[in-house]
Amino acid sequence: MVQNVASVMTELEPEDFHLLSGVEQGMRFSEYVNREKLTEFSRLSEENVDYRLDRCADRELLERKTIQYEGFKLTFEGYDALALHTFVERDTIEGFGAPLGVGKESDVYEVQSYKPMALKYHREGYTNFREVMKEREYTADRDHVSWLYTARKAAEREYEALETLYPDVSVPQPIDTNRHAIVMEKVDGVELSRTGLETEQVVPLLELILDEMQTAYREGFVHADMSEYNVFVTTQGVVVFDWPQAVPTDHENARELLTRDVDNLVSYFQRKYPAQVEDIDIDAVADALATDSFESLAGY
């Protein structure tokens, strides 16, 4: 399990971050970075490198392995520390709070700035690397792909989608990004999967989410991972989150993914609220979203 590194940040010195950055640079070429390369990558003396390696390994920011050579690689905690250090240097965040959600592909924490925000660390590739390699197209043309690259590309893709969609689509406002991490607006709401709706709320809420999907398509993106776990219900309406798998609407599979999103969403409502949501023509609804002609579920 990946641990929260906020507690060790105050113990780290500038040279520790130089070393971690040096290991990060070396990992572009191999999974474990040869100890002999670290003076070059970190621009620290041999003696200082040895001292910093011990400090960072003791704090579980680095993993050591002896193969044909003594090698080191960042742990996710080490990568987290680098991103968090950058956010602090930029004055993006001032304090670190409690976990908001922990999953297989991301960890989210509350952070403090001029107002409470959310810090999302992408974890793609850390525990299910081979599966992610098969599914994520941004790894398809790489000979050496580390989980650092996979997680960073996921964060870049999500941040690009959020920047494009906000505020026309109800998504969390993006604030800043670095490496595999994103700072964004903290949403006060309840996950759709945990929400109990009154009878008269069911269809209007489903239509509201579909309308957000339509606007997203008009603005150039398909979510591509829509489910009851990626929607917050708030006092103002809904917020659609988790966009790392989003694809542009000119992608060859965009319409297929849009249809799948509609099917996933409608199927959830049909399972949970069968009396309010009966048979719906999924293909027709997806076509309406793609052509910007959806207004309500009447007639579908």
Side-chain angles (χ1 to χ4, degrees), residues 86-94 113:
T86 298
F87 287 138
V88 171
E89 284 196 320
R90 292 176 181 171
D91 294 324
T92 300
I93 63 176
E94 299 172 356
S113 183

mmCIF file of all heavy atoms in Angstrom, residues 86-94 113:
data_model
loop_
_atom_site.group_PDB
_atom_site.id
_atom_site.type_symbol
_atom_site.label_atom_id
_atom_site.label_comp_id
_atom_site.label_asym_id
_atom_site.label_seq_id
_atom_site.Cartn_x
_atom_site.Cartn_y
_atom_site.Cartn_z
ATOM 1 N N THR A 86 7.174 20.281 -5.551
ATOM 2 C CA THR A 86 6.972 21.276 -6.615
ATOM 3 C C THR A 86 5.749 22.134 -6.336
ATOM 4 O O THR A 86 5.787 23.365 -6.506
ATOM 5 C CB THR A 86 6.822 20.567 -7.970
ATOM 6 O OG1 THR A 86 8.025 19.845 -8.253
ATOM 7 C CG2 THR A 86 6.571 21.568 -9.089
ATOM 8 N N PHE A 87 4.664 21.520 -5.900
ATOM 9 C CA PHE A 87 3.451 22.291 -5.592
ATOM 10 C C PHE A 87 3.699 23.287 -4.465
ATOM 11 O O PHE A 87 3.199 24.411 -4.496
ATOM 12 C CB PHE A 87 2.300 21.352 -5.198
ATOM 13 C CG PHE A 87 1.716 20.575 -6.342
ATOM 14 C CD1 PHE A 87 1.401 19.227 -6.186
ATOM 15 C CD2 PHE A 87 1.453 21.173 -7.563
ATOM 16 C CE1 PHE A 87 0.847 18.503 -7.227
ATOM 17 C CE2 PHE A 87 0.907 20.458 -8.616
ATOM 18 C CZ PHE A 87 0.598 19.115 -8.447
ATOM 19 N N VAL A 88 4.473 22.894 -3.471
ATOM 20 C CA VAL A 88 4.782 23.796 -2.360
ATOM 21 C C VAL A 88 5.663 24.945 -2.854
ATOM 22 O O VAL A 88 5.439 26.112 -2.501
ATOM 23 C CB VAL A 88 5.464 23.031 -1.215
ATOM 24 C CG1 VAL A 88 5.986 23.998 -0.150
ATOM 25 C CG2 VAL A 88 4.494 22.035 -0.587
ATOM 26 N N GLU A 89 6.660 24.631 -3.681
ATOM 27 C CA GLU A 89 7.529 25.687 -4.214
ATOM 28 C C GLU A 89 6.746 26.687 -5.052
ATOM 29 O O GLU A 89 7.085 27.872 -5.100
ATOM 30 C CB GLU A 89 8.639 25.060 -5.052
ATOM 31 C CG GLU A 89 9.744 24.403 -4.227
ATOM 32 C CD GLU A 89 10.984 24.155 -5.065
ATOM 33 O OE1 GLU A 89 10.835 23.759 -6.247
ATOM 34 O OE2 GLU A 89 12.103 24.377 -4.550
ATOM 35 N N ARG A 90 5.714 26.232 -5.750
ATOM 36 C CA ARG A 90 4.882 27.107 -6.587
ATOM 37 C C ARG A 90 3.828 27.858 -5.777
ATOM 38 O O ARG A 90 3.068 28.651 -6.335
ATOM 39 C CB ARG A 90 4.164 26.287 -7.656
ATOM 40 C CG ARG A 90 5.047 25.682 -8.723
ATOM 41 C CD ARG A 90 4.178 24.834 -9.635
ATOM 42 N NE ARG A 90 4.947 24.198 -10.692
ATOM 43 C CZ ARG A 90 4.467 23.266 -11.518
ATOM 44 N NH1 ARG A 90 3.195 22.869 -11.390
ATOM 45 N NH2 ARG A 90 5.220 22.734 -12.453
ATOM 46 N N ASP A 91 3.748 27.579 -4.476
ATOM 47 C CA ASP A 91 2.696 28.136 -3.612
ATOM 48 C C ASP A 91 1.306 27.685 -4.041
ATOM 49 O O ASP A 91 0.315 28.375 -3.786
ATOM 50 C CB ASP A 91 2.756 29.674 -3.587
ATOM 51 C CG ASP A 91 4.025 30.190 -2.939
ATOM 52 O OD1 ASP A 91 4.494 29.560 -1.971
ATOM 53 O OD2 ASP A 91 4.551 31.213 -3.416
ATOM 54 N N THR A 92 1.232 26.537 -4.699
ATOM 55 C CA THR A 92 -0.070 25.990 -5.072
ATOM 56 C C THR A 92 -0.799 25.470 -3.848
ATOM 57 O O THR A 92 -2.014 25.631 -3.718
ATOM 58 C CB THR A 92 0.093 24.843 -6.090
ATOM 59 O OG1 THR A 92 0.735 25.351 -7.266
ATOM 60 C CG2 THR A 92 -1.254 24.253 -6.483
ATOM 61 N N ILE A 93 -0.065 24.822 -2.941
ATOM 62 C CA ILE A 93 -0.669 24.314 -1.712
ATOM 63 C C ILE A 93 0.167 24.725 -0.518
ATOM 64 O O ILE A 93 1.371 24.958 -0.625
ATOM 65 C CB ILE A 93 -0.843 22.780 -1.743
ATOM 66 C CG1 ILE A 93 0.501 22.069 -1.830
ATOM 67 C CG2 ILE A 93 -1.733 22.359 -2.897
ATOM 68 C CD1 ILE A 93 0.378 20.559 -1.760
ATOM 69 N N GLU A 94 -0.502 24.818 0.631
ATOM 70 C CA GLU A 94 0.162 25.250 1.857
ATOM 71 C C GLU A 94 0.108 24.200 2.958
ATOM 72 O O GLU A 94 0.886 24.260 3.909
ATOM 73 C CB GLU A 94 -0.493 26.537 2.377
ATOM 74 C CG GLU A 94 -0.397 27.699 1.394
ATOM 75 C CD GLU A 94 -1.225 28.897 1.833
ATOM 76 O OE1 GLU A 94 -1.936 28.778 2.866
ATOM 77 O OE2 GLU A 94 -1.165 29.937 1.165
ATOM 78 N N SER A 113 -5.046 25.563 0.475
ATOM 79 C CA SER A 113 -4.505 26.693 -0.263
ATOM 80 C C SER A 113 -5.288 27.908 0.198
ATOM 81 O O SER A 113 -5.565 28.043 1.391
ATOM 82 C CB SER A 113 -4.613 26.455 -1.768
ATOM 83 O OG SER A 113 -4.025 27.525 -2.479
#
